[in-house]
């Protein structure tokens, strides 16, 4: 049999396999592109790209943009845009930094355990209020979101400068710094516990979804297809935990941990970082946003409005108030991202969040959110953020200059939108 015959024989089988799994082909393409990108950079960097250390750093670098990208999905789905997220992040980060370093220590005392909580709450209140104000301008006054948030980009960046008086604010509260990544992680044991819990929850959700579909008379996947998907999910979760646990803490830090306990570190002892707390924050946000999108009335209203705003309004949806809610939610997510970004740096600077608005929009678009509205996923936006960060980190490791990095990212963004347009034309979405 010829090679052509062999390839032709395999193609129907491969298609049958994929159709049985009933997976999103666009998601598979994104995952494939991400895997290829990682392998290419790993070869170019002589195996340094896929080391536990670099993967750990890559995850904590992705968190801030990924959190905001989940909110940008809702903004773009409803046919709006938010260009102010980077500047808004700087403002709320400045608010949190000033609150915990200048305002609260004078009244509560330096190192008070409530300082970091109050600081984050202050940032959340500021972020939600600013986001809601921008949403009101868009929803109730009818000013295009592009103009409102472009003005916000200029306004809030300079408001942050006035809040900090143009200075770097720090050092930040020690507990607050745990949100940054390297300063706070679960450790090996609790990371495994968390991974096993995630596996159990994932399997329960798969079984529940299959049972629910069957009870309503819908077609279900073959048992072997469910088993394949379950195995992939288990391998991905536990593999991720294993890689992060393989990144060892510096010996000096482990020695300090033992010294704080009044003990001496055993010879040759090692301790892995495990899952960073910032990644846990991202997971919580992703789960909450996914539930909001799929299981709540607000989520249904968001996608209905994005699909056809006129029909949504005629059906009784208050699209003006909905716009305020979406931008308020975006402001709250900017506050969470600001806390993570400032904690990772250890202080708040005037240039924090610079160009994050472009990275966030790019992550959402690369993740499959349609600029025409009505289509988008939370997991796609997070994957898009991971692809963007991997691309930039890989180029930095290779030694590509920053200007050229931005050129490549811009080209990738345009290409991703083009591919998305072609994909939607062929699938009829």
């Amino acid at each position: 049999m010829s090679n052509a015959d062999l390839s032709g024989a395999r193609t129907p089988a491969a298609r049958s396999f994929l159709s049985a799994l009933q997976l999103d082909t666009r998601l598979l393409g994104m995952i494939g592109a991400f895997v290829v990108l990682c392998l290419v950079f790993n070869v170019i960097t002589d195996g340094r790209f896929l080391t536990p250390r670099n993967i750990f750093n890559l995850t904590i670098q992705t968190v801030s943009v990924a959190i905001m990208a989940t909110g940008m999905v809702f903004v773009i789905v409803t046919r709006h845009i938010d260009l102010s997220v980077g500047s808004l992040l700087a403002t709320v980060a400045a608010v949190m930094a000033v609150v915990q370093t200048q305002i609260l220590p004078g009244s509560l005392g330096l190192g008070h355990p409530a300082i970091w909580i109050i600081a984050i709450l202050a940032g959340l209140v500021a972020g939600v209020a600013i986001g809601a104000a921008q949403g009101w301008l868009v929803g109730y006054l009818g000013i295009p979101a592009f103009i409102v948030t472009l003005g916000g980009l200029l306004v809030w960046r300079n408001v942050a400068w006035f809040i900090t008086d143009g200075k770097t604010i720090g050092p930040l509260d020690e507990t607050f710094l745990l949100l940054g990544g390297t300063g706070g992680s679960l450790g090996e044991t609790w990371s495994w516990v968390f991974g096993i819990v995630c596996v159990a929850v994932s399997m329960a959700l798969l079984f529940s979804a299959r049972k629910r579909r069957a009870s309503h008379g819908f077609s279900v996947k073959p048992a072997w297809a469910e088993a394949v998907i379950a195995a992939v999910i288990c391998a991905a979760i536990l593999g991720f935990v294993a890689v992060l646990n393989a990144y060892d803490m510096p010996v000096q830090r482990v020695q300090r941990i033992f010294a704080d306990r009044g003990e001496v570190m055993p010879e040759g002892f090692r301790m892995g970082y495990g899952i960073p707390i910032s990644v846990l924050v991202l997971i919580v946000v992703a789960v909450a946003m996914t539930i909001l999108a799929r299981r709540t009335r607000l989520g249904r209203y968001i996608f209905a409005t994005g699909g056809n705003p006129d029909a949504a309004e005629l059906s009784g949806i208050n699209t003006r108030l909905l716009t305020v809610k979406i931008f308020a939610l975006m402001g709250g997510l900017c506050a969470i991202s600001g806390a993570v970004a400032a904690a990772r740096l250890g202080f708040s600077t005037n240039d924090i969040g610079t160009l994050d608005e472009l990275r966030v929009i790019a992550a959402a678009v690369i993740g499959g959110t349609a600029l025409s509205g009505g289509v988008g996923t939370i997991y796609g936006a997070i994957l898009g953020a991971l692809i963007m960060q991997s691309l930039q980190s890989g180029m930095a490791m290779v030694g590509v200059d920053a200007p050229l990095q931005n050129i490549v990212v811009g080209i990738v963004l345009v290409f991703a939108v083009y591919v998305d347009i072609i994909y939607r034309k062929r699938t009829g979405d």
Side-chain angles (χ1 to χ4, degrees):
M1 185 179 292
S2 66
N3 291 335
D5 294 333
L6 288 172
S7 61
R10 291 191 189 108
T11 301
R15 290 176 179 174
S16 176
F17 178 78
L18 292 176
S19 63
L21 294 177
Q22 298 178 18
L23 295 177
D24 183 358
T25 54
R26 195 184 191 286
L27 176 63
L28 289 177
M30 289 175 58
I31 295 174
F34 174 64
V35 170
V36 170
L37 181 68
C38 291
L39 293 176
V40 168
F41 276 128
N42 194 56
V43 171
I44 296 175
T45 58
D46 297 326
R48 290 182 292 118
F49 187 81
L50 291 179
T51 59
R53 175 181 180 179
N54 191 58
I55 293 175
F56 182 92
N57 291 330
L58 189 62
T59 57
I60 62 176
Q61 290 166 0
T62 303
V63 169
S64 179
V65 169
I67 289 174
M68 290 189 288
T70 63
M72 189 61 73
V73 170
F74 286 177
V75 174
I76 297 178
V77 160
T78 50
R79 306 189 182 189
H80 296 301
I81 201 71
D82 193 341
L83 301 176
S84 68
V85 292
S87 299
L88 181 51
L89 182 150
T91 294
V92 293
V95 168
M96 288 185 283
V98 169
V99 166
Q100 64 185 288
T101 59
Q102 299 178 15
I103 298 177
L104 293 180
S107 56
L108 296 180
L110 191 64
H112 192 280
I115 285 179
W116 71 278
I117 298 175
I118 298 174
I120 292 177
L121 289 176
L124 283 170
V125 170
V128 170
I130 293 171
Q134 294 187 151
W136 181 80
L137 292 173
V138 176
Y140 284 90
L141 296 189
I143 305 174
F146 180 89
I147 299 300
V148 171
T149 58
L150 179 60
L153 182 150
L154 301 173
V155 170
W156 303 120
R157 175 65 59 183
N158 291 283
V159 167
W161 189 91
F162 279 109
I163 291 174
T164 61
D165 199 22
K167 300 176 182 177
T168 296
I169 305 297
L172 303 179
D173 182 79
E174 290 187 1
T175 307
F176 182 86
L177 293 177
L178 295 178
L179 295 172
T182 54
S185 58
L186 291 183
E188 293 181 74
T189 301
W190 284 108
S191 294
W192 281 120
V193 172
F194 179 77
I196 292 171
V197 170
C198 287
V199 167
V201 171
S202 299
M203 297 304 101
L205 290 175
L206 278 178
F207 177 78
S208 175
R210 180 182 178 86
K211 186 176 180 181
R212 187 168 57 251
R213 287 183 62 87
S215 65
H216 288 86
F218 295 115
S219 62
V220 296
K221 301 173 187 176
W224 66 265
E226 294 281 11
V228 169
I229 293 175
V232 170
I233 291 174
C234 292
I237 294 173
L238 298 180
F240 179 67
V241 173
V243 169
L244 295 183
N245 280 341
Y247 178 33
D248 295 340
M249 291 185 184
V251 176
Q252 295 80 0
R253 182 174 177 182
V254 179
Q255 289 175 340
R256 286 197 300 270
I257 293 174
F258 274 89
D260 292 339
R261 301 174 184 168
E263 304 173 357
V264 178
M265 186 183 79
E267 186 70 26
F269 184 84
R270 60 165 295 276
M271 182 180 294
Y273 276 102
I275 300 175
I277 291 177
S278 60
V279 174
L280 292 182
V281 174
L282 173 60
I283 293 172
V284 171
V285 169
V287 171
M289 292 292 284
T290 301
I291 294 174
L292 182 63
R294 295 184 175 182
R295 302 294 182 186
T296 67
R297 180 183 299 176
L298 177 61
R300 291 192 292 270
Y301 284 179
I302 288 172
F303 283 89
T305 301
N308 192 327
D310 295 332
E313 192 165 3
L314 290 173
S315 66
I317 297 175
N318 189 340
T319 56
R320 293 182 175 184
L321 180 59
L322 182 67
T323 300
V324 174
K325 291 179 180 179
I326 291 169
F327 278 90
L329 178 61
M330 187 74 251
L333 292 172
C334 286
I336 297 174
S337 293
V340 171
R344 185 164 65 89
L345 294 175
F347 42 80
S348 178
T349 64
N350 292 315
D351 63 348
I352 190 172
T354 300
L355 293 181
D356 270 6
E357 54 277 345
L358 302 183
R359 298 186 183 97
V360 170
I361 294 171
V365 172
I366 290 174
T369 305
L371 292 172
S372 57
V375 178
T377 60
I378 302 301
Y379 60 80
I382 294 174
L383 182 55
L386 186 58
I387 291 174
M388 290 285 293
Q389 187 59 53
S390 299
L391 184 62
Q392 288 189 305
S393 298
M395 288 190 292
M397 292 180 68
V398 173
V400 177
D401 294 333
L404 185 55
Q405 290 183 30
N406 291 330
I407 291 173
V408 173
V409 170
I411 293 173
V412 169
L413 175 59
V414 174
F415 179 72
V417 173
Y418 174 72
V419 170
D420 185 64
I421 292 173
I422 299 299
Y423 172 81
R424 297 189 191 285
K425 285 182 177 178
R426 290 185 176 180
T427 57
D429 291 342

